[in-house]
């Protein structure tokens, strides 16, 4: 990925979170404490404020900065988890990764989120989007930049009938059923935004 490209991907991810903050807040009001939109907006506004600085860095350093900013600025349960995702990606990605290298780095990054959250897919969290997205990416094939957003959005919708086993929503028990998980929605927004930018440059 060239410098202008990772600038565009990071900018698109940050802007989609800022644009959907109210929706994320509504989702968290239903099964959490209603701060997810605010948390994520605060973190990604800080990312946007440093876009030029990020663009000047090689991809791994830029992702590391994003991760650090998210840990420091998002807060809640999701800040350290999304922060871990970006920081682990940063550790494993070369400056100009191939698709296989992205799939492998995302595999490690998702495993790091699982370890940090003591969670696994099926528990109504961001992992219910991150895990299927990583699998779709690793399986490869044509049209990935179009298929990944579809997979991410379907995976976020699939959290609606789930009962939360981790995070604040788990306090609701059976009453968490029937609502989309806010962190899963955020993860799908990030994937969709990144793919929209990458669609035109897919190898
Ligand atoms: P908080 O729950 O502290 O208010 P947020 O509202 O910002 O934090 O984030 C909630 C989201 O974080 C959930 O929707 C879920 O996707 C994710 N989450 C919470 N706990 C975990 C966990 N243990 N593992 C993975 N994801 C989690
Ligand atoms: Mg919350």
């Amino acid at each position: 990925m060239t410098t202008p490209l990772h600038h565009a991907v990071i900018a698109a991810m940050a802007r989609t979170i800022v644009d959907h903050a109210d929706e994320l807040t509504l989702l968290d009001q239903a099964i959490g404490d209603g701060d997810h939109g605010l948390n994520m907006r605060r973190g990604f506004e800080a990312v946007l404020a440093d876009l030029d600085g990020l663009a000047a860095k090689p991809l791994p350093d830029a992702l590391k900065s994003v991760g650090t900013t998210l840990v420091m600025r998002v807060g809640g349960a999701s800040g350290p988890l999304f922060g871990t995702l970006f920081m682990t990606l940063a550790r494993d990605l070369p400056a100009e990764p191939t698709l296989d290298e992205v799939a492998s780095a995302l595999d490690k990054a998702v495993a790091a989120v699982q370890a940090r959250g003591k969670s696994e897919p099926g528990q109504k969290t961001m992992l219910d989007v991150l895990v299927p997205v990583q699998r779709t990416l690793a399986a490869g094939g044509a049209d990935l930049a179009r298929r990944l957003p579809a997979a991410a959005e379907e995976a976020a919708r699939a959290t609606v009938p789930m009962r939360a086993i981790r995070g604040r929503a788990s306090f609701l028990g059976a009453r968490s059923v029937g609502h989309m998980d806010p962190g899963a929605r955020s993860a799908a927004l990030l994937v969709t935004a990144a793919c929209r930018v990458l669609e035109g440059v897919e190898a």
Side-chain angles (χ1 to χ4, degrees):
M1 227 185 273
T2 60
T3 299
L5 188 55
H6 80 243
H7 175 280
V9 170
I10 292 169
M13 290 195 294
R15 289 192 185 114
T16 197
I17 293 295
V18 171
D19 289 348
H20 290 84
D22 290 346
E23 179 195 338
L24 296 171
T25 287
L26 282 174
L27 292 175
D28 199 36
Q29 276 168 355
I31 58 169
D33 56 356
D35 63 351
H36 187 61
L38 274 179
N39 290 346
M40 293 291 280
R41 187 172 70 198
R42 188 171 55 239
F44 280 95
E45 275 175 349
V47 169
L48 282 175
D50 187 31
L51 259 189
D52 290 340
L54 294 172
K57 296 177 180 173
L59 177 66
D61 303 80
L63 291 175
K64 187 176 172 194
S65 289
V66 171
T68 309
T69 300
L70 296 182
V71 169
M72 288 191 313
R73 304 298 288 273
V74 175
S78 58
L81 295 170
F82 279 120
T84 295
L85 183 77
F86 280 89
M87 289 191 297
T88 314
L89 275 175
R91 214 179 49 216
D92 283 303
L93 276 181
E96 294 189 18
T98 63
L99 206 53
D100 282 350
E101 286 168 334
V102 176
S104 149
L106 187 59
D107 187 35
K108 289 184 188 144
V110 173
V113 173
Q114 291 198 200
R116 176 103 199 202
K118 298 183 176 56
S119 44
E120 53 189 58
Q123 298 179 328
K124 199 179 180 99
T125 71
M126 60 178 73
L127 287 169
D128 290 305
V129 167
L130 296 175
V131 168
V133 162
Q134 192 282 329
R135 291 204 179 123
T136 303
L137 185 60
D143 262 355
L144 266 180
R146 258 193 299 277
R147 287 191 291 111
L148 281 172
E153 278 152 32
E154 188 195 320
R157 278 196 299 276
T159 65
V160 172
M162 290 181 186
R163 177 179 174 147
I165 311 289
R166 282 287 179 275
R168 223 175 262 282
S170 66
F171 306 157
L172 291 181
R175 280 184 296 134
S176 65
V177 172
H179 305 275
M180 185 181 291
D181 176 64
R185 174 67 175 142
S186 288
L189 287 168
L190 292 171
V191 170
T192 297
C195 289
R196 294 247 159 90
V197 174
L198 294 172
E199 205 174 329
V201 294
E202 198 177 358

